[in-house]
């Protein structure tokens, strides 16, 4: 046999038959290639092999034991992804070859007299079959990839012939046109209605396609014209497709509608322009610095307050000098994120002092980390200092409780303060975005007429004053372009914004009615009104906060009551001896709380799809007999939904959807107005469903749901604990045996990887470092087992305990909890596990009192491909109490040392391993090793020889 193509080096080959030439062929493959060769004698063995894996090629003799090779070929041809089959025979003719090829064989070789030449030919044909099969798989995969891209509903795709005419299109492309598209096939792509509603071709699309026809990739954004006002922009990409001879066979065109993206970019540019305009015209000044105080941004309107240009401020005035140092506590800002309304005095370029309100906020904008928002309140400050002259008016404001009352006080007191009779107050209505005339004097009505609502979006005097927060004084208001009512008899007028609350209007029928004193008093009156309005707003917020606090206090009281009930239930669960006691105690204690009218616990029967009541308490009133509770996730009684989905179900208002679900009628007839149903689940195993009904709506808020859901977990844990306790007291058990076809079991993976038999030998321990088990291997070297274990992610460490060449014991450290621990949580014992590369068998002992279906469910939820092989009852099993008591007597470390010594052959005669060797394996001293072994022996002998003097104590599997 000569060297063959490197194709076979990584191939997985199956040789079927028992002939000399097949042996020589296998030897040649092993010598000249890196192929993995498997041997089977007959059809049955070959079929078992291909049932679990797919070799790259099968080479078989024509004549096989029990059945001919044609049976194997016909079976393989019934599979969708059968491997190629090459048939060889000692002698043959054309009729034989034709029959085999007709049956589905890939190739046929007659060995004849010249065996070496025939084997050489067989090697070449095998390599050819493997290569052809791989090529077919590659083509299928590429075809699937193309179909996936072609069927993408987000991208329109067209396939063009080599002349640029349309050959094929997908549904996304069809959806871009309202008219039928089938009659467009065969037309030049650049003339199609996707690009124009006219008869003229699209030159941009033509050039794009011509680039692809020349063998190059091309991309362009094409505007799609339309007879309507709507237009779209499509991002087109064209890609040439060539065959193995580099001949162009088609062109693929992909199009994505990017109209929204183009519109978004345009809107973003407009938004940026609006942002610049806003910053240039706002009265507040915004500054931004880094942590070192260097300016990273200066608002263009900085001269409004400080008189400097942005460049002058950057070059001449540091932030500390501008606003004062220290302006704020850096730690306080770090804790709150923002500091608002810091009042400072700043000096502008001309030397004038300004009173500012500064807000400081932590940001992360480019290089800036601190943002300062500065508002000049100099005039407001001056007005506040003059409030002493308005004490009488301010005293009236103190007793006002609403904005309307304050507005009326302002109008009533204006004549006495300003000696002007015409006045009005507009209050801002944020819901309608309007200024509404809330109070006005009779004199104003005579001079002006009825006052309309003023939208703040209109360019009128009240709206402008409010939006710009600017006081407007006019010696003659008829000179203002913003005057809405030119027929008004008002001549002198003032519009004073009342903060965020509205606008104060005062006027006169004479010109130049506002001297300096009147202007100052007008400002002071408006400031007083604004302060009163602010007070009412604050008090309203405080009242709302009080109501919120009261609601929270009510919730806290309810939570305390629930917690008290939960504590009573927890105490009762500790004392409960049976499941019935647990169920009835929970129902009784829940209904003792007058908020809950009725509670019951049901058992979920998956076989019948129903939930059967097993305990209840409270105002049941025949509800449980009124209907059948079915397991249904889509609707119906909450207990059915919880049983189906395994999640808490809440119905806050039973009366909602009364006619949609019949159960609600029965519930309302018994004053059940809200329902909470909780799954009783522990370690993924269901112990039933707890359902609680209340005679008030929304009785189960978020806190109640969370607390009662935790209660469900506690109840399920208590029920599991009772099962484990009863299991330990049982003297009979059921032994169940499972066959598992799932590589998720770590020992199955190890047996397959090491190609040997692995059996579980006990010693399960759960520590902070992981789970530890002892496993015995057979028909393999210890190095092969260790190497295979090192390659498995589920095994974090392996330690050799004993080795006699072809078998031994290893101790495995697992990354995930072992099944035996989960079974032990439910009172079952993981007795045996035997795994080979092909099969896995588990044996579990289930004590009397534990539902075997629960254990079976756990195994089937852990693994797939689980088959119950056998089930038998074992009576009078007393050794469990003895074993549990023994485990209760020794520590985990003592048990680990004794098990390691046992599996190392320390107790054999003669010893397979010395105490020193075992101690080194455990990384302890010899003295510590012998101390642990003697302690375990003493405790074991004490149990065996002194059992009559001390009854066994209940324990648990560790």
């Amino acid at each position: 046999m000569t060297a063959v193509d490197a194709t076979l080096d990584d191939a997985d080959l199956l040789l079927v038959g028992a002939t000399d030439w097949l042996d020589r062929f296998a030897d040649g493959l092993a010598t000249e290639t890196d192929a993995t060769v498997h041997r089977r004698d007959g059809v049955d063995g070959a079929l078992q092999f291909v049932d679990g894996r797919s070799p790259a090629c099968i080479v078989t003799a024509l004549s096989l034991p029990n059945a001919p090779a044609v049976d194997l070929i016909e079976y393989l041809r019934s599979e969708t992804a059968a491997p190629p089959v090459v048939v060889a025979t000692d002698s043959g003719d054309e009729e034989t070859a034709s029959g085999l090829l007709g049956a589905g064989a890939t190739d046929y070789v007659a060995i004849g007299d010249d065996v070496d030449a025939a084997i050489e030919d067989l090697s070449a044909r095998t390599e050819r079959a493997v290569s052809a099969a791989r090529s077919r798989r590659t083509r299928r995969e590429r075809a699937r990839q193309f179909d996936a891209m072609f069927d993408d509903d987000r991208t329109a795709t067209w396939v063009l012939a080599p002349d640029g005419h349309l050959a094929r299109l997908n549904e996304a492309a069809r959806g871009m046109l309202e008219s039928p598209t089938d009659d467009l096939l065969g037309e030049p792509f650049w003339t199609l209605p996707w690009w124009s509603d006219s008869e003229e071709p699209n030159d941009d699309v033509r050039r794009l396609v011509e680039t692809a026809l020349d063998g190059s990739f091309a991309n362009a954004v094409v505007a799609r014209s339309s007879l309507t006002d709507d237009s779209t922009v499509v991002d087109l990409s064209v890609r040439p497709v060539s065959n193995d001879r580099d001949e162009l066979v088609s062109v693929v065109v992909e199009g994505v509608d990017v109209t929204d993206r183009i519109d978004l970019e345009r809107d973003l540019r407009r938004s940026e322009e609006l942002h610049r305009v806003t910053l240039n015209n706002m009265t507040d000044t915004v500054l931004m610095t880094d942590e070192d105080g260097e300016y990273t941004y200066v608002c263009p309107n900085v001269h409004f307050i400080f008189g400097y240009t942005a460049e002058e401020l950057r070059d001449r005035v540091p932030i500390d000098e501008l606003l004062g140092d220290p302006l704020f506590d850096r730690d306080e800002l770090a804790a709150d994120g923002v500091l608002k309304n810091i009042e400072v005095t700043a000096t502008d370029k001309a030397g004038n002092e300004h009173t500012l309100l500064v807000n400081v906020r932590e940001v992360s904008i480019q290089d800036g980390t601190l943002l300062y928002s500065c508002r000049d309140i100099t005039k407001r400050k001056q007005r506040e200092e003059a409030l002493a002259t308005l004490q009488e008016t301010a005293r009236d404001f103190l007793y006002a409780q609403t904005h309307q009352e304050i507005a009326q006080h302002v109008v009533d007191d204006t004549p006495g303060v300003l000696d002007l009779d015409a006045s009005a107050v507009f209050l801002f209505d944020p819901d309608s975005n309007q200024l509404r005339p809330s109070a006005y004097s009779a004199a104003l009505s005579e001079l002006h007429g009825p006052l309309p609502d003023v939208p703040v979006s209109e360019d009128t005097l009240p709206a402008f004053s409010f939006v710009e927060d600017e006081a407007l004084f006019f010696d003659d208001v008829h000179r203002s372009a913003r005057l809405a009512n030119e027929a008004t008899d008002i001549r002198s007028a003032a519009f004073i914004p009342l903060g965020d609350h509205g606008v104060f209007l005062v006027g006169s029928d004479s010109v130049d009615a506002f001297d300096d004193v009147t202007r100052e008093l007008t400002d002071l009156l408006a400031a007083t009104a604004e302060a009163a309005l602010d007070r009412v707003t604050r008090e309203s917020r405080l009242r709302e906060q009080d109501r919120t606090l009261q609601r929270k206090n009510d919730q806290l009281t309810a939570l305390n009551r629930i917690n008290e009930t939960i504590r009573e239930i927890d105490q009762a669960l500790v004392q409960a001896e049976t499941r019935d006691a647990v169920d009835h105690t929970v129902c009784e204690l829940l209904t003792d709380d007058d908020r809950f009218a009725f509670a019951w616990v049901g058992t979920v029967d998956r076989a019948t799809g129903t939930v059967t009541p097993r305990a209840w308490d409270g105002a049941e009133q025949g509800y449980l007999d009124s209907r059948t509770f079915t397991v249904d996730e889509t609707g119906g009684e909450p207990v059915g939904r919880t049983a189906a989905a395994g999640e808490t179900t809440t119905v806050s208002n039973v009366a909602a959807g009364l006619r949609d679900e019949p159960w609600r009628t029965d519930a309302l007839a018994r004053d059940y107005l809200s329902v909470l149903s909780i799954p009783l689940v522990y370690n993924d195993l269901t112990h039933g469903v707890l359902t609680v009904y209340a005679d008030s709506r929304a009785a189960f808020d978020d806190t109640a749901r969370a607390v009662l859901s935790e209660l469900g977990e506690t109840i399920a844990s208590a029920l599991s604990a009772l099962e484990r306790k009863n299991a330990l007291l049982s003297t009979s058990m059921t032994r169940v045996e499972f066959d598992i076809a799932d590589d998720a079991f770590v020992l199955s993976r190890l047996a397959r990887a090491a190609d040997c038999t692995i059996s579980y030998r006990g010693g399960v321990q759960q520590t902070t470092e992981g789970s530890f088990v002892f496993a015995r291997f057979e028909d393999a070297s210890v190095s092969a087992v260790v190497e295979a274990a090192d390659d498995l992610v589920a095994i974090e460490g392996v330690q050799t305990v004993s080795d006699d060449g072809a078998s031994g014991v290893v101790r495995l450290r697992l990354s995930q909890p072992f099944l035996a621990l989960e079974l032990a949580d439910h009172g079952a014992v993981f007795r045996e596990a035997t795994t080979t590369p092909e099969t896995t068998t588990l044996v579990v002992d289930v004590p009397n009192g534990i539902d075997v279906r629960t254990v079976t469910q756990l195994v089937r939820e852990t693994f797939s491909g689980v088959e119950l092989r056998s089930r038998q009852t074992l009576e009078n099993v007393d050794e469990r109490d003895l074993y549990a008591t023994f485990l209760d007597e020794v520590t985990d470390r003592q048990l680990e040392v004794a098990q390691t010594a046992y599996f190392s052959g320390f107790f054999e005669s003669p010893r397979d391993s010395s105490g020193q060797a075992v101690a080194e394996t455990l990384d302890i001293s010899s003295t510590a090793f012998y101390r642990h072994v003697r302690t375990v022996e003493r405790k074991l002998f004490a149990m065996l020889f002194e059992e009559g003097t001390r009854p066994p104590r209940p324990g648990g599997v560790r």
Side-chain angles (χ1 to χ4, degrees), residues 403-404 407 425-429 434-436 438 501-503 533:
H403 290 177
Q404 178 63 43
V425 173
F426 293 84
L427 293 179
F428 177 60
D429 182 0
Q434 291 181 329
L435 292 168
R436 299 187 182 277
S438 298
H501 308 288
V503 175
L533 292 169

Side-chain angles (χ1 to χ4, degrees), residues 392-393 396-397 400 403-425 438-444 504-506 525 529:
E392 292 298 326
T393 301
D396 293 337
F397 289 161
H403 290 177
Q404 178 63 43
E405 291 182 38
I406 294 174
Q408 191 61 51
H409 276 304
V410 171
V411 171
D412 294 341
D413 294 343
T414 295
V417 176
L418 304 178
D419 197 22
L420 295 173
D421 294 333
S423 63
V425 173
S438 298
Y440 50 88
S441 65
L444 183 67
F504 171 44
L505 164 63
V506 61
L525 178 59

Side-chain angles (χ1 to χ4, degrees), residues 106-122:
T106 305
D107 210 341
Y108 169 78
V109 177
I111 301 300
D113 296 330
D114 191 350
V115 177
D116 291 335
I119 290 177
E120 183 66 27
D121 185 24
L122 181 60

Side-chain angles (χ1 to χ4, degrees), residues 746-747 760-775 794-799 801 810-821 892-893 895-896 899-900 903 921-922 958:
V746 63
L747 297 185
Y760 165 72
R761 305 300 292 172
V764 173
Q765 292 183 0
Q766 180 69 44
T767 68
T768 56
E769 299 178 354
S771 299
F772 292 87
V773 298
F774 288 97
I795 300 178
E796 294 184 339
V798 57
Q799 185 180 47
V801 177
V810 292
R811 184 170 182 261
L812 305 176
R813 179 161 62 93
L814 308 179
S815 59
Q816 298 177 347
F818 195 59
L819 176 61
L821 296 170
D892 289 341
R893 186 58 168 169
L895 184 61
E896 176 187 10
Q899 286 177 318
T900 305
F903 289 120
T921 300
L922 294 167
R958 297 184 178 179

